[in-house]
């Protein structure tokens, strides 16, 4: 059996086209566009490349976008004042503070200072609570889990009544995706088990899964014999396992591997996501969707 590939790169293009069309329509009808600000403190190269990619995508979609980069020495007080400024700015609908922040700044304090109605990352306790309640309460599902759910639904995988096993219980992937899939409603209604390092028999749980979502950060953790034939396997793991020279650019690039032994798993699974090119591209896409939705909430369109 060869699994169908669920390609995040293709689904991303579909969703971005939908967002772009909606932005155009809202601009024509209401004269406003979604506004996104990224706040970065310091010059961590990975963080710089993340915010640059987010802003580039926002710009291409016709959003108002601000890349607000602050020096490493910025005080907590100044950063809180900056967040407050964007909380009060009516043209900004999404505020994203890029993590990690320098050690002298309390991350929790800063994230909790973002207006929950502009918290497009979905990490504010108010939005975590809204996600837990589910249904129409949900405003901003966190971006990576939202991307995972979108991939499952768009691939045509049935979630209702499915046995879902989530490997990993982090606040950014494991817990929210488990929560989202057990809600009552379309693209959910699953029976969900969450496993972690203290789980007694990881293999036995994985073997039951109709949908297996792996977010552990351990390369090749899930063995092919743990996969139920025909299951949908979503590999969230992104692990750097070495370096190679890019054929395109001639520069050194990281060799990335997921948490699942892809080559063997694809012969057993019904659907599988590749790494790279699977879940990865969905995160920024869903950030854009959350920012558009923030404007739509404000305009009473949702
Ligand atoms: P995390 O905060 O490190 O959490 C990892 C989770 O996996 C923990 O709950 C841990 O259990 C569990 N775990 C680790 N080793 C395990 C093992 N041997 N058996 C069972 N459970 C195990 O990681 P994260 O932030 O959720 O990220 C997970 C992976 O997804 C990483 O590779 C990350 O790079 C990737 N990721 C990708 C995207 C994207 O593509 N857009 C976004 C986010 C994350 P304990 O709680 O017991 O320690």
């Amino acid at each position: 059996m060869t699994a169908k590939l669920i390609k995040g790169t293709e689904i991303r293009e579909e969703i971005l086209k939908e967002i772009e069309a909606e932005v155009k329509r809202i601009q024509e009808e209401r004269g406003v566009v979604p506004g996104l600000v990224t706040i970065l403190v310091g010059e961590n190269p990975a963080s710089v490349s993340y915010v640059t990619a987010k802003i580039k995508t926002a710009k291409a979609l016709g959003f108002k976008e601000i890349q607000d980069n602050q020096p490493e020495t910025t005080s907590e007080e100044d950063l809180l004042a900056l967040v407050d400024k964007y909380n009060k700015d009516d043209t900004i609908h999404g505020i994203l503070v890029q993590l990690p922040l320098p050690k002298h700044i309390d991350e929790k304090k800063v994230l909790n200072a973002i207006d929950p109605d502009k918290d497009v990352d979905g990490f504010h306790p108010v939005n975590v609570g809204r996600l837990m309640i589910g249904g129409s309460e949900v405003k901003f599902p966190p971006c990576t889990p939202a991307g995972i759910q979108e991939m499952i639904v768009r691939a045509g995988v049935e979630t209702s009544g499915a046995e879902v096993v989530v490997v990993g219980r982090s606040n950014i992937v494991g817990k929210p995706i488990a929560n989202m899939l057990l809600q009552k409603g379309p693209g959910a209604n699953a029976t969900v088990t969450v496993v972690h390092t203290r789980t007694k028999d990881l293999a036995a749980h994985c073997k039951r899964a109709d949908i297996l979502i792996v977010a552990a950060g351990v390369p090749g953790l899930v063995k092919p014999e743990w996969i139920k034939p025909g299951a949908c396997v979503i590999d969230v793991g992104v692990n750097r396992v070495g370096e190679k020279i890019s054929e395109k650019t001639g520069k050194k690039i990281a060799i990335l591997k997921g948490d699942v032994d892809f080559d063997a798993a694809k012969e057993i699974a019904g659907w599988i996501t590749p790494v790279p090119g699977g879940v990865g591209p969905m995160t920024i896409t869903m950030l854009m969707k959350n920012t558009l939705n923030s404007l739509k909430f404000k305009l009473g369109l949702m």
Side-chain angles (χ1 to χ4, degrees):
M1 172 172 202
T2 302
K4 286 182 203 135
L5 268 190
I6 309 180
K7 292 187 187 165
T9 41
E10 285 177 6
I11 298 175
R12 167 182 63 191
E13 293 315 311
E14 256 175 60
I15 298 175
L16 290 180
K17 267 194 201 136
E18 291 164 12
I19 296 175
E20 197 177 2
E22 239 187 315
V23 170
K24 264 198 193 130
R25 189 177 53 76
I26 293 174
Q27 187 175 20
E28 279 164 17
E29 289 172 9
R30 311 289 288 259
V32 281
V33 294
L36 175 70
V37 60
T38 61
I39 302 176
L40 171 67
V41 182
E43 285 167 15
N44 175 317
S47 297
V48 172
S49 93
Y50 293 146
V51 291
T52 305
K54 288 166 189 172
I55 288 297
K56 197 173 149 199
T57 310
K59 192 171 188 169
L61 291 173
F63 286 18
K64 170 181 173 169
E65 87 299 333
I66 301 174
Q67 185 169 354
D68 193 331
N69 293 358
Q70 297 290 324
E72 182 85 23
T73 50
T74 303
S75 69
E76 184 177 288
E77 198 188 353
D78 285 349
L79 185 56
L80 289 169
L82 195 63
V83 168
D84 189 50
K85 180 181 106 173
Y86 291 119
N87 279 343
K88 290 177 178 147
D89 184 339
D90 281 344
T91 66
I92 294 296
H93 310 97
I95 301 173
L96 183 138
V97 176
Q98 186 66 42
L99 301 180
L101 289 171
K103 286 203 171 61
H104 65 274
I105 298 177
D106 181 348
E107 260 178 26
K108 225 185 197 175
K109 207 167 170 184
V110 174
L111 293 184
N112 289 359
I114 297 172
D115 177 348
D117 289 340
K118 295 190 179 187
D119 167 44
V120 285
D121 251 343
F123 294 148
H124 192 289
V126 167
N127 285 316
V128 176
R130 286 169 170 166
L131 193 79
M132 185 86 174
I133 296 167
S136 61
E137 286 291 326
V138 182
K139 280 205 153 173
F140 308 119
C143 302
T144 301
I148 295 170
Q149 189 178 36
E150 199 73 47
M151 293 177 98
I152 295 171
V153 170
R154 288 187 189 233
V157 177
E158 182 58 84
T159 56
S160 183
E163 288 284 342
V164 172
V165 175
V166 179
V167 183
R169 55 176 165 182
S170 72
N171 286 329
I172 63 165
V173 189
K175 279 195 261 181
I177 189 62
N179 200 350
M180 288 162 77
L181 293 177
L182 70 76
Q183 297 294 342
K184 207 167 195 170
N189 282 328
T191 302
V192 183
T193 306
V194 182
V195 296
H196 45 78
T197 56
R198 308 297 167 94
T199 298
K200 280 188 186 140
D201 190 347
L202 200 60
H205 287 287
C206 292
K207 281 179 189 170
R208 287 190 295 104
D210 300 314
I211 300 174
L212 179 61
I213 300 170
V214 193
V218 181
L221 172 69
V222 171
K223 310 292 173 250
E225 58 273 21
W226 298 6
I227 294 168
K228 182 173 171 181
C232 170
V233 179
I234 307 287
D235 190 352
V236 191
V238 181
N239 307 291
R240 286 169 178 260
V241 293
E243 283 182 337
K244 62 178 180 184
I245 302 295
S246 159
E247 282 174 19
K248 263 193 205 161
T249 62
K251 287 184 183 166
K252 259 191 201 170
I253 52 165
I255 302 173
L256 301 178
K257 279 234 161 20
D259 290 351
V260 177
D261 175 354
F262 178 83
D263 289 332
K266 76 176 192 323
E267 300 305 325
I268 303 163
W271 295 263
I272 193 165
T273 59
V275 177
V279 176
M282 296 299 292
T283 302
I284 293 185
T285 307
M286 300 317 287
L287 177 74
M288 299 302 137
K289 190 160 184 183
N290 276 351
T291 308
L292 168 63
N293 286 349
S294 179
L295 172 64
K296 287 169 70 181
F297 282 123
K298 196 176 157 199
L299 296 175
L301 300 173
M302 277 186 87

